[in-house]
C-alpha cells in the first residue's frame, strides 16, 4: 500500500510542478490570478443568488439549485480539510512559485474548485450545450489553483468530484 501512496504522491508533485513551473509567464500569472476568483466565495455566491433571484424561469430554478449545491458542497470540503490536514504545496515544496495571496488553511480538497464545479454542474445538467463553455472555465479555475502554488492536482481533482457529485444530488433532490 505504501508503494501506491508513494507513487501517487510522486505523480501529484510532478503534475504540480508541470503546471506551476513549465507554464510560468507574467501575463499568464496575471490572468490566472484573476480567473481563480471565479471559484471564490464572493463570485460564486453573488452569481448564483443573482441568477436565482433575477433570471426568468427555468434559469432561476437552476440558479437556486446551483446556490444550494454550492452551500452543501462546502460541508465535505470542511470535513476533508479536518480529516486530511495537508499543507499547501508552497509550504512544503521549496521551489513552488506562488501568487500574491497566500492561504494558510489546509490544502485538501480545493474549495475554489469545489465551488466552481458545484455552481456550473446544475447548468450543464439543465442545458447541456452550456458545458462547452462552462466546463473549460471551471477547469482553468482548478488549474489556476495549482499555478498559484495553492493546491496539488489531487486537491483539485477531489474538489471537482465533490462539486459535481454534490450538484448532481442537489439537482436530483430539488429537480
Amino acid at each position: 500500500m505504501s508503494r501506491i501512496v508513494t507513487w501517487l504522491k510522486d505523480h501529484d508533485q510532478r503534475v504540480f510542478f508541470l503546471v506551476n513551473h513549465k507554464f510560468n509567464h507574467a501575463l499568464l500569472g496575471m490572468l490566472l490570478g484573476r480567473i481563480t476568483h471565479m471559484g471564490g466565495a464572493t463570485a460564486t455566491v453573488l452569481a448564483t443568488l443573482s441568477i436565482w433571484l433575477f433570471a426568468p424561469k427555468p434559469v432561476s430554478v437552476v440558479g437556486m439549485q446551483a446556490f444550494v449545491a454550492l452551500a452543501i458542497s462546502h460541508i465535505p470540503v470542511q470535513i476533508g480539510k479536518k480529516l486530511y490536514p495537508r499543507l499547501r504545496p508552497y509550504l512544503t515544496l521549496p521551489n513552488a512559485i506562488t501568487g500574491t495571496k497566500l492561504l494558510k488553511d489546509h490544502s485538501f480538497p480545493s474549495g475554489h474548485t469545489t465551488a466552481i464545479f458545484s455552481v456550473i454542474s446544475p447548468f450543464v445538467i439543465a442545458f447541456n450545450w452550456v458545458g462547452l463553455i462552462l466546463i473549460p472555465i471551471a477547469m482553468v479555475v482548478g488549474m489556476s489553483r495549482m499555478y498559484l502554488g495553492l493546491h496539488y492536482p489531487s486537491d483539485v481533482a477531489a474538489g471537482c468530484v465533490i462539486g459535481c457529485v454534490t450538484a448532481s444530488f442537489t439537482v436530483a433532490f430539488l429537480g
Side-chain angles (χ1 to χ4, degrees):
M1 184 63 137
S2 67
R3 287 169 86 198
I4 294 170
V5 172
T6 302
W7 182 86
L8 288 171
K9 185 177 178 182
D10 180 54
H11 281 75
D12 215 20
Q13 289 181 5
R14 284 184 192 194
V15 174
F16 170 79
F17 278 121
L18 174 71
V19 173
N20 186 256
H21 279 228
K22 296 289 184 192
F23 300 116
N24 190 20
H25 188 275
L27 182 59
L28 189 58
M30 186 182 72
L31 183 63
L32 292 177
R34 296 192 195 295
I35 289 173
T36 200
H37 296 297
M38 293 175 73
T42 302
T44 54
V45 169
L46 282 176
T48 55
L49 270 177
S50 297
I51 294 168
W52 180 12
L53 297 174
F54 302 117
K57 287 187 179 182
V59 177
S60 65
V61 173
V62 179
M64 180 268 300
Q65 292 170 337
F67 179 78
V68 172
L70 174 64
I72 293 171
S73 72
H74 277 71
I75 296 169
V77 166
Q78 291 309 311
I79 291 170
K81 287 183 184 286
K82 295 284 188 228
L83 291 177
Y84 191 67
R86 184 182 202 182
L87 292 175
R88 293 187 180 270
Y90 79 89
L91 293 171
T92 60
L93 302 174
N95 296 327
I97 299 168
T98 63
T100 56
K101 187 176 179 187
L102 301 178
L103 303 174
K104 300 287 188 219
D105 64 331
H106 299 300
S107 176
F108 183 85
S110 169
H112 280 68
T113 307
T114 301
I116 195 74
F117 277 96
S118 70
V119 167
I120 71 155
S121 294
F123 291 95
V124 173
I125 292 167
F127 314 106
N128 301 120
W129 62 269
V130 81
L132 296 172
I133 300 165
L134 295 181
I135 292 171
I137 290 171
M139 290 173 69
V140 170
V141 169
M143 189 190 85
S144 75
R145 306 306 291 165
M146 293 181 283
Y147 184 89
L148 297 170
L150 298 171
H151 287 287
Y152 292 98
S154 58
D155 302 339
V156 172
C160 174
V161 170
I162 291 168
C164 290
V165 168
T166 304
S168 296
F169 279 120
T170 302
V171 168
F173 185 72
L174 297 178

